[in-house]
Each structure stands twice: as C-alpha cells, then as structure tokens.
Amino acid sequence: MKRLIAAALCAFFAAAFLTGCEGHNLTLWNAMQKSSEILSGESDTQISAAVTIYEAFDDAQMQDVLERIGYFLADTKLAVKSKSVLTDDAIKAYSEAVLEMEGMKVSADMWVDMPDITDAASAKVYFKVPAYIGALLPEEYGKKPYLLFDYSKISAITQQVPDMEINMDKLDSKKIIALSKDLMREIGSYINPPEAFVSSVNGNIYTVTITEDNLLACVKSMLENFSQDAATRNFYKKYISEFYNIYHEYMPSVYPEVDFDSAFEAMEPILPLVPASADMLIGVLKEADIFGDGWSVAYTIDEQGFISAENWDIDIRINLSKLAKFGDAFNRLVFGMMTGEPLRDGEQKGIFGINVKIATSVKNINEEMEVTMPSSDPHQTVDFIDATISAMQKAKEEAKWNYGAASVGETGTINNYLTNGVSFMAQTLYPTYSADSGELFFPAKETLETLGCSVKWNEEESCVEIETAENVYCIYNTPGDYFVDYYYTVWENGKCYLNLYALELVTGKDFGFDSGELLIR
C-alpha cells in the first residue's frame, strides 16, 4: 500500500517531466504507469550523501557544523533490501535496512503482514530488536527478539489519550490503493508543461535531466493551469478531498472535517493574481540559485516494460549572500537554529552544497515468491501496544496511589505564601485525580483564595472568574476555552479544579505538591 501511494506521488512529479512530450518520453511514461501494477518483487536501494563547502563562511560556528556533517556523511551509507508480495486480498513484505558509518554497521529488519487489504486493522508489523536496543528495554522484554505492532489494538491505546480517536475499521486500504492507481492514470492530463525536460536514451536507459529553467517553467505552468482552468482545479480538488476524507474517517481528531467545495470557492477571487505571484516565485527561486549542477534521474526499462532501476542524483547549492536578499524573516527561518542570529543583506558569506545519490534496482517482478513472518509466540515477541497500555495504566495507578485524595480526617495546608492557609479536608474539598491525564487537580476557589486571588462565578459569562493583582481570567467548561483545550481544567459536580501548572499560570508562582502531607509548597 505504501509503495503504491509513494509511486503515485512520484508519478505526480514525473508527469510534469514527461506529459506533452513525444517519442521515447512516452515510452518512459507508459513504463511508469505499468510499474504501478507490480504485485511482487525484490528491490535494493543504496543511499549516500555528501556536503561540500565551496566558499568559506564568515560564521565560523556554521562552517564547523557543516564540516562535521560532511565528515560524517562521507563515511555513511544506507542500504535497504525489500521483498513484497501484493495480491487482491493481502500484502506481505520484508525489509532490511543497513546503516554503515565509520566502520560500524547497524541493521534493522521489518515485516508487514496484512491479510485483508480492505481492513487496515488486520495489519501486523514486526521489528527485529537490535541487541543494543533490547538492553535498554525492561528485563521482561529485553531478551525477546521481535517487537510487534498489532494494528487491531490501536483503538485500545488511543483510549488512554484524551481527545485522540483512531478508527482502524474506517481506514479503507483497498480504496487508497484504487485511488492511487486512478491518480497515476489521470495525472498526465492535468499537468502540461510548455516544454519537455532534457532527456536522452541509451538502449533501455532513459535519463531525465532536471535543470533550473525547465523545472521552474513546470512550476509556473502548473500554477497558471490551476488559476486559469476549472477542470484542473476540479482534478486537484477531487484527489485532495478524497484522500483527506479517507484519513478523516480513520483519524478524525487529527483530520477534522473540511468542506473542500467551499475552500476552493474561496480561492476564486485571488485566482487572477496567481500568474503574477508565479512570476514572483520564479524570480525568487532563480535568485536563490539552489539547483547546483542540476538534478538527474536515470530509469532502466526491462524487456517486459517495467522500470527495473532508478538512479537519482540531486545537487543542491546554498549561497548565503543570495539568500540574504530575501530579508531577515526568511533567513531567520532557514538559518536561525544554526546561528541564533538573523542574516542581514550582504553581511553573510558562504556557499555549500548537498549532493544526494539514490540508486534502486528491482528484480523478480511479478514472479512467485514468499515472505515468511516472524513467530508471534509471546516467548519470542513483545506486543508493543499491549506493553504500552500496561505501562500507561501502571503509571496512572502509581500516580493515583501517590497523589490520590486523603481519607476524611487527614488534612494538608497550603501555607507557603500565607500563614493561615486552607486545609485540604472534607469541608474544603480534596484534590481530585483525573484518570484521563494521570494528574492531580486542586479546587480552584478554595486554593486560589488562599493564595490571595478573588474567585467567583460570573453569571453573565457563565464562567469561573479569577482576579489576581495583574489579570482577570474567565474559565469556561466548554471546548474552545484555553484551560479546557489544554487539559489544565477538570470539572466535578459543577466545581472547577485546576492542575498545578494552571495554578502557576494564574498566580505567576512556582509550586510543588507534597502528596504525603497534602501540601502545596
């Protein structure tokens, strides 16, 4: 499934390179579409990267950081070997990733078993736990070689997290696959750049060269087509909304419902401005000169018409003096984390390049093969979700034990700021424990009045009004309220309780809670 989605996204950009071209480019485009139908195969991918400094930096710290990254990458390689089998009903896949750096090898193995592609909850993902990670796990898990993610249990773990909802039974994997294939078939009709990318053919090897001029021409063409052609906008809307709605059903707390018809209608007034904006964007990108020596990708097509190899060579050039012309805001965004200082026009010097090479070969395409899953024997496998739920429940029970309300008769006093503080006892309410967050919450009125605040019910606003020497806060028992949305508040029997962090926000003081003495210090 992930392979098909990735292929669809790659095709989105590949179509920009090839649509509208004639002759051998059409052969390559046909091979891309045919390769989306691959059901089984084995692939090897090699990834390497390098950093080169072409002009010294004024900022010695930045130069040092980039040199260190360059030394590290020069001796680092990532290799990924995969085997996958996709049928109408199931997916089985195996992948081994090996990272080599400074004479050391680190490997990670992963298996995917999805017996029903119409039901994402049927998926099980296994990892082989490297020894150095196993040593960090609790003793009951550390000696088991496999880690299992059982997606049928995802909803159980999300029940432990407030406002997190995942409906695994709503994730229609078969629909995602079908939609990805539809996208691959249709995309070429709606991306129509004015000129072909530079391409050459040597036997069955097709090399596409991506230069600054033709890539920027493609970007401009795509933006202009979007602004001037309703059919193109409907194409984008269709696929964006359909993919989004699938994930909205699956994870509504992360993907809220969106009315894409209204969203696209709202764009209508600004569409005439898009061509001028496109020209401005093109100018900015040309000024940046980030394409270095150019990008290229070579595809090898086998005798069956499938793409059997891809070789990407991506060169990016960063010239600080040119970036400086875009102004402080842009430069702070890009380099602020490195230097801690904004760049100013003309003040920074330095040019560095990043080169990434990715080589992938595919063999045994659509041949019969098997992927053997690890044993799910509990003596061999740690069920990650079960272990996580157990750990979360254990932490909540420990928190409840340590921070739970005292029995009637026991008292604790808030006396750090006032000599005669309020006691936590039956008459003045105990702190209350929230099972959802695993935190302790304190009665707002009794606690804050002891600390010198005024607390009352505001009938007109239907909120708890807290007045300090500096501010007035209104706390509402409804979604949308800051204290409610950020889980600083719980309500019990019509009374408002605040956690320790909320008390600090309101009073501007730092607190600690002694659970043994029921005392805020």
Side-chain angles (χ1 to χ4, degrees), residues 102-252:
E102 299 182 348
M104 180 176 66
K105 280 188 177 182
V106 179
S107 65
D109 296 40
M110 181 181 77
W111 295 260
V112 176
D113 184 11
M114 191 171 181
D116 183 355
I117 62 174
T118 65
D119 179 14
S122 70
K124 291 180 171 61
V125 178
Y126 297 83
F127 291 91
K128 189 171 184 180
V129 181
Y132 65 91
I133 292 181
L136 302 176
L137 295 174
E139 186 175 350
E140 62 266 37
Y141 304 138
K143 295 182 180 179
K144 298 180 181 180
Y146 300 110
L147 197 63
L148 166 64
F149 286 76
D150 185 344
Y151 281 78
S152 66
K153 300 176 180 178
I154 286 287
S155 58
I157 197 171
T158 60
Q159 289 172 9
Q160 311 292 318
V161 183
D163 292 343
M164 172 62 79
E165 182 182 356
I166 296 180
N167 304 320
M168 288 303 297
D169 59 331
K170 298 288 183 68
L171 183 55
D172 191 337
S173 305
K174 204 163 189 176
K175 187 172 182 180
I176 293 174
I177 292 172
L179 198 58
S180 299
K181 289 182 177 180
D182 288 344
L183 175 62
M184 296 244 346
R185 281 190 289 268
E186 291 190 40
I187 197 169
S189 303
Y190 295 97
I191 302 177
N192 194 18
E195 58 180 297
F197 279 51
V198 178
S199 184
S200 63
V201 182
N202 182 7
N204 62 337
I205 299 176
Y206 293 70
T207 302
V208 178
T209 303
I210 307 168
T211 66
E212 178 180 77
D213 287 340
N214 56 34
L215 181 59
L216 294 181
C218 177
V219 170
K220 180 178 179 181
S221 175
M222 290 171 64
L223 290 172
E224 289 179 343
N225 286 349
F226 182 87
S227 66
Q228 297 168 7
D229 182 39
T232 301
R233 288 195 297 279
N234 288 334
F235 166 79
Y236 282 103
K237 181 174 69 174
K238 171 187 173 182
Y239 283 99
I240 291 172
S241 62
E242 288 199 30
F243 274 113
Y244 188 93
N245 289 335
I246 289 173
Y247 287 99
H248 163 69
E249 290 288 316
Y250 160 56
M251 196 181 292

Side-chain angles (χ1 to χ4, degrees), residues 212-352:
E212 178 180 77
D213 287 340
N214 56 34
L215 181 59
L216 294 181
C218 177
V219 170
K220 180 178 179 181
S221 175
M222 290 171 64
L223 290 172
E224 289 179 343
N225 286 349
F226 182 87
S227 66
Q228 297 168 7
D229 182 39
T232 301
R233 288 195 297 279
N234 288 334
F235 166 79
Y236 282 103
K237 181 174 69 174
K238 171 187 173 182
Y239 283 99
I240 291 172
S241 62
E242 288 199 30
F243 274 113
Y244 188 93
N245 289 335
I246 289 173
Y247 287 99
H248 163 69
E249 290 288 316
Y250 160 56
M251 196 181 292
S253 55
V254 176
Y255 297 90
E257 190 168 355
V258 175
D259 182 352
F260 283 96
D261 288 333
S262 298
F264 273 74
E265 285 177 11
M267 293 181 187
E268 295 289 339
I270 65 171
L271 291 176
L273 305 176
V274 170
S277 300
D279 287 336
M280 183 181 299
L281 174 63
I282 299 305
V284 168
L285 291 173
K286 285 183 71 69
E287 182 68 24
D289 192 25
I290 66 173
F291 293 92
D293 293 331
W295 305 349
S296 70
V297 54
Y299 299 92
T300 302
I301 301 177
D302 69 13
E303 57 188 15
Q304 296 174 295
F306 294 107
I307 293 176
S308 60
E310 292 183 32
N311 288 274
W312 288 78
D313 190 339
I314 301 170
D315 193 60
I316 299 172
R317 199 71 51 89
I318 306 295
N319 185 328
L320 295 192
S321 64
K322 291 188 175 182
L323 286 180
K325 295 181 180 180
F326 299 154
D328 262 358
F330 179 81
N331 293 320
R332 187 182 295 110
L333 176 67
V334 176
F335 294 104
M337 289 188 293
M338 282 188 177
T339 67
E341 295 290 337
L343 299 176
R344 293 180 174 81
D345 189 19
E347 287 188 5
Q348 289 288 332
K349 290 183 179 179
I351 303 173
F352 70 96

Side-chain angles (χ1 to χ4, degrees), residues 27 30-41 204 300-308 362-368:
T27 303
N30 293 339
M32 288 181 172
Q33 291 185 302
K34 184 172 182 177
S35 294
S36 71
E37 305 294 333
I38 292 177
L39 298 178
S40 63
N204 62 337
T300 302
I301 301 177
D302 69 13
E303 57 188 15
Q304 296 174 295
F306 294 107
I307 293 176
S308 60
V362 184
K363 60 184 179 181
N364 300 329
I365 295 174
N366 288 345
E367 293 186 7
E368 187 173 338

Side-chain angles (χ1 to χ4, degrees), residues 348-362:
Q348 289 288 332
K349 290 183 179 179
I351 303 173
F352 70 96
I354 303 171
N355 181 259
V356 180
K357 297 183 186 297
I358 306 170
T360 299
S361 62
V362 184

